[in-house]
Amino acid sequence: MKEKKKIILISIIIIILLTFAIVLTVKLIKIKNNKLQTNTNVVSENNIIKNEAIENKIQKNTQINNVIVKQPVEENIVNNNQNETEEIDLETIQTEEDNKEKAVNIAKQDWGEDNTVYFTFDSIDNNGKYVVCVRDSETTGALYWYTIDIKTETFTVE
């Protein structure tokens, strides 16, 4: 009789442990699915934020050149053609950075070697010319401005 009670007790304990293991497994699966769903939502939100950032950069770049191109930007985002938009954006930014660097180098070359000044890109004027400022190294005050036409590599100094 003691032997039967022992077997029944062990059987009940095993059944309780198996039930407990099954319940925990189901809960873990639910938690994992919720995390995957949350990660998917985060990725979607990040894509929307990236698309908005790309749209803002493209609009800023086109406004610098007095050309506003809203329709292609909206089409790219509606089509979710993110890679193509990024390539255009990166190319535009790279070209602009190269032109800024080229303008600063033209001003430095004209100015000559001088440790008392430094050169900063200032802006692009309404005619598409790059404005570079020569500043005093000690006071950071503006000394002169070069207005540089990148295409012809000509400039004026004010």
Side-chain angles (χ1 to χ4, degrees):
M1 186 85 167
K2 283 187 176 183
E3 198 63 37
K4 278 187 174 183
K5 285 184 179 181
K6 215 179 205 182
I7 291 175
I8 291 174
L9 185 60
I10 291 174
S11 297
I12 291 174
I13 291 173
I14 290 174
I15 290 172
I16 291 173
L17 288 175
L18 285 175
T19 305
F20 185 69
I22 290 171
V23 169
L24 284 179
T25 303
V26 169
K27 284 187 177 188
L28 287 174
I29 290 172
K30 285 182 180 179
I31 290 171
K32 185 176 181 181
N33 287 340
N34 284 342
K35 282 186 179 181
L36 286 175
Q37 186 177 8
T38 302
N39 287 342
T40 303
N41 290 341
V42 169
V43 168
S44 296
E45 289 173 11
N46 286 342
N47 284 340
I48 291 169
I49 291 169
K50 284 181 184 177
N51 283 341
E52 289 173 356
I54 290 167
E55 180 181 6
N56 289 339
K57 285 181 184 179
I58 290 172
Q59 286 178 350
K60 286 178 184 176
N61 288 339
T62 54
Q63 287 172 351
I64 287 173
N65 295 322
N66 292 329
V67 179
I68 299 175
V69 186
K70 286 189 177 180
Q71 186 63 30
V73 172
E74 290 170 2
E75 286 175 9
N76 283 338
I77 291 175
V78 168
N79 294 333
N80 201 16
N81 202 348
Q82 184 177 355
N83 291 335
E84 189 174 312
T85 305
E86 285 179 352
E87 288 175 11
I88 293 169
D89 190 44
L90 291 175
E91 182 179 321
T92 303
I93 290 171
Q94 186 62 43
T95 301
E96 187 175 313
E97 290 300 317
D98 290 346
N99 286 343
K100 288 177 184 178
E101 188 175 326
K102 186 176 181 180
V104 169
N105 287 335
I106 289 171
K108 283 181 181 179
Q109 189 175 25
D110 179 65
W111 189 269
E113 193 169 324
D114 186 351
N115 292 335
T116 63
V117 297
Y118 66 97
F119 300 83
T120 58
F121 170 77
D122 215 18
S123 63
I124 299 174
D125 70 9
N126 292 336
N127 297 322
K129 295 182 180 178
Y130 288 70
V131 179
V132 174
C133 185
V134 181
R135 297 187 175 275
D136 185 289
S137 294
E138 288 183 26
T139 65
T140 69
L143 301 174
Y144 295 96
W145 284 272
Y146 280 80
T147 304
I148 301 168
D149 186 341
I150 294 296
K151 294 175 187 170
T152 62
E153 295 189 12
T154 57
F155 57 85
T156 58
V157 181
E158 297 173 20

